[in-house]
Amino acid sequence: MAYSLADFPDLVGKELFRSDWVPLRDEDEEAFGHATFLREDFLGRPPSGAPDGERLVSGFLLLSMLVAFHKRELELRGANGLNYGLDKVRFLRPVPTGSRVRVRATLLDVREKNAGTRVLTRNELEVEGAGAPAMVADWITFFARDGARSAEAGSH
């Protein structure tokens, strides 16, 4: 969906997007583990796995996917967002590799700040066929006004 920041105050409480289903493969978890040093050469031992042998997707991989889902599903005209942080993240159920997931993003709050706009979204990561979300994350994005320094939002 395409929006501008000026649209956001009227969208508080509304779903901004519901993504398509995306498969999570063993290779995705392996690449994430390699990129985040969860590998034997760094740990000095093999990384831990699921007790029953089923390979699970890292919660931090699921969390990191929010950026990709938002960039893919949400076109925000005339604004560039900075990661301001997270208010709350809960990993509610394991997600095995081979699952298909999607994100539903709802706009919770919009606040004007001195240098821009602070936006809070609730992101529910669903697993196809499951009755409840696997992850819920309240994510804050800061949109700096043109010419404003990003000091208020940090240097992320």
Side-chain angles (χ1 to χ4, degrees):
M1 295 292 288
Y3 300 104
S4 73
L5 279 177
D7 298 329
F8 274 18
D10 294 330
L11 297 171
V12 171
K14 296 192 168 93
E15 186 174 283
L16 293 176
F17 69 83
R18 183 181 309 185
S19 74
D20 292 334
W21 293 105
V22 174
L24 291 174
R25 307 163 304 171
D26 281 335
E27 304 88 72
D28 299 323
E29 180 61 27
E30 287 170 16
F32 184 78
H34 188 76
T36 56
F37 294 87
L38 291 174
R39 55 185 197 254
E40 190 168 354
D41 68 319
F42 183 80
L43 297 173
R45 60 180 168 18
S48 59
D52 60 4
E54 183 176 56
R55 186 164 203 172
L56 300 178
V57 177
S58 167
F60 284 109
L61 170 55
L62 300 174
L63 184 61
S64 71
M65 291 175 67
L66 291 182
V67 175
F69 277 115
H70 276 251
K71 285 186 179 284
R72 183 169 138 181
E73 303 291 337
L74 188 62
E75 180 186 338
L76 197 54
R77 296 181 303 263
N80 289 309
L82 300 168
N83 182 9
Y84 196 78
L86 297 153
D87 265 355
K88 181 172 144 182
V89 178
R90 295 293 181 263
F91 300 105
L92 304 169
R93 64 177 346 110
V95 178
T97 58
S99 299
R100 289 177 11 125
V101 298
R102 72 176 176 191
V103 168
R104 295 173 57 159
T106 302
L107 183 60
L108 295 183
D109 189 43
V110 178
R111 291 187 192 169
E112 292 301 317
K113 302 289 248 177
N114 292 337
T117 305
R118 177 191 179 274
V119 173
L120 177 65
T121 56
R122 168 148 305 144
N123 299 272
E124 296 182 19
L125 185 124
E126 301 173 331
V127 178
E128 190 173 42
M135 179 189 76
V136 178
D138 291 352
W139 183 24
I140 308 165
T141 307
F142 185 81
F143 296 91
R145 290 195 222 316
D146 288 340
R149 297 176 74 52
S150 62
E152 182 173 346
S155 58
H156 308 308

